[in-house]
Amino acid sequence: MLTLMKPEIELYARQKTANHGELLEKLANETQESMAMPEMLTGPLEGRFLKQMVMVTGARRILEVGMYTGYSALSMAEGLPDGGELITLEIDDKAISFASRYFENSPHGKKIKIMKGPGLDSIKQLTGEFDFVFIDADKVNYSNYYEAILPKLKKGGVILVDNVLYSGEVLDPQSENAKAIHAFNELVSNDTRVEKVLLTIRDGVFFIVKK
Ligand SMILES: C[S@@+](CC[C@H](N)C(=O)[O-])C[C@H]1O[C@@H](n2cnc3c(N)ncnc32)[C@H](O)[C@@H]1O
């Protein structure tokens, strides 16, 4: 798992954080055993953070960009009330069939709707306002996702964006992904439409609130 924290501090934080339960444990283990790039999964610390953010904001309608095997989607769905909705965008068939099996086995799975295809195309098709957004897909499109989603976010709505420290590469961005993330961080940092805090949880999470 990507972390900029000392491993023993990360472990301590995980041990003092709420347990993610048997189903997410099984999902994480099966992802590790059978999927490419299991390190993409947000994991217990960030997953519990996502759930709690959904709870404290009272979010009822969530948009996720980048579902992978469904760990973060299920974590956030746990924090939604009955009748709440989470729309998650994913391009990969294997990830979709994997996550769907777990959604079927969760009492919160019925709150989740998967939209298959390139995230930017799916966002264009979405109508109505969202009150909570989690961006965790292809890094080169972070700024595009942000600009496409902001008009669909309610005033006071929250956007969380994952991997904004990119293993520390943002300090000296060389790769295409690191450059794109650094440009995104600059965009948000200078954007007067939003309040923002860059949190150093795991690989960096941008916490953005629309004014
Ligand atoms: C970092 S993973 C998401 C991890 C997930 N949020 C979790 O915590 O388990 C990124 C996902 O974005 C998907 N993705 C990449 N490019 C995409 C695109 N253009 N549109 C939609 N999904 C995309 C990938 O297939 C991958 O499953």
Side-chain angles (χ1 to χ4, degrees), residues 9-197:
I9 297 287
E10 179 84 12
L11 180 63
Y12 183 88
R14 280 175 57 176
Q15 285 168 342
K16 301 299 173 214
T17 295
N19 191 282
H20 62 177
E22 277 178 27
L23 190 70
L24 286 174
E25 181 74 19
K26 192 163 170 247
L27 184 158
N29 288 340
E30 192 186 331
T31 301
Q32 191 73 39
E33 286 155 15
S34 67
M35 296 291 284
M37 296 198 282
E39 69 280 3
M40 292 202 301
L41 189 143
T42 39
L45 192 62
E46 192 176 343
R48 291 302 89 187
F49 173 68
L50 290 171
K51 175 187 172 182
Q52 250 172 247
M53 286 294 291
V54 171
M55 288 169 69
V56 297
T57 55
R60 296 192 64 85
R61 191 162 190 248
I62 302 175
L63 174 64
E64 174 179 68
V65 191
M67 173 185 72
Y68 191 42
T69 53
Y71 187 94
S72 50
L74 264 183
S75 301
M76 290 186 282
E78 279 182 34
L80 274 176
D82 287 340
E85 176 186 48
L86 186 154
I87 297 174
T88 180
L89 315 183
E90 177 54 56
I91 202 166
D92 181 60
D93 283 324
K94 193 175 176 196
I96 290 172
S97 60
F98 185 115
S100 301
R101 278 192 288 116
Y102 278 88
F103 296 166
E104 280 160 22
N105 286 319
S106 165
H108 304 285
K110 60 182 179 304
K111 302 171 192 167
I112 304 174
K113 294 189 182 73
I114 302 171
M115 279 178 83
K116 182 183 159 184
L120 281 171
D121 293 350
S122 299
I123 292 165
K124 284 186 196 136
Q125 293 169 38
L126 292 168
T127 54
E129 273 193 334
F130 289 88
D131 33 34
F132 195 99
V133 176
F134 181 49
I135 300 177
D136 188 20
D138 47 327
K139 311 308 170 201
V140 287
N141 271 315
Y142 266 23
S143 296
N144 295 329
Y145 292 133
Y146 176 73
E147 290 294 1
I149 287 167
L150 202 57
K152 296 176 194 280
L153 186 72
K154 76 166 189 191
K155 193 170 182 271
V158 167
I159 306 181
L160 295 177
V161 188
D162 203 15
N163 306 113
V164 290
L165 293 173
Y166 210 60
S167 304
E169 281 187 46
V170 287
L171 296 180
D172 181 21
Q174 299 294 329
S175 67
E176 192 186 7
N177 279 351
K179 284 179 185 165
I181 289 190
H182 177 61
F184 169 74
N185 291 340
E186 287 285 301
L187 169 70
V188 174
S189 166
N190 293 315
D191 191 347
T192 55
R193 297 170 295 177
V194 295
E195 296 288 345
K196 56 262 171 174
V197 182

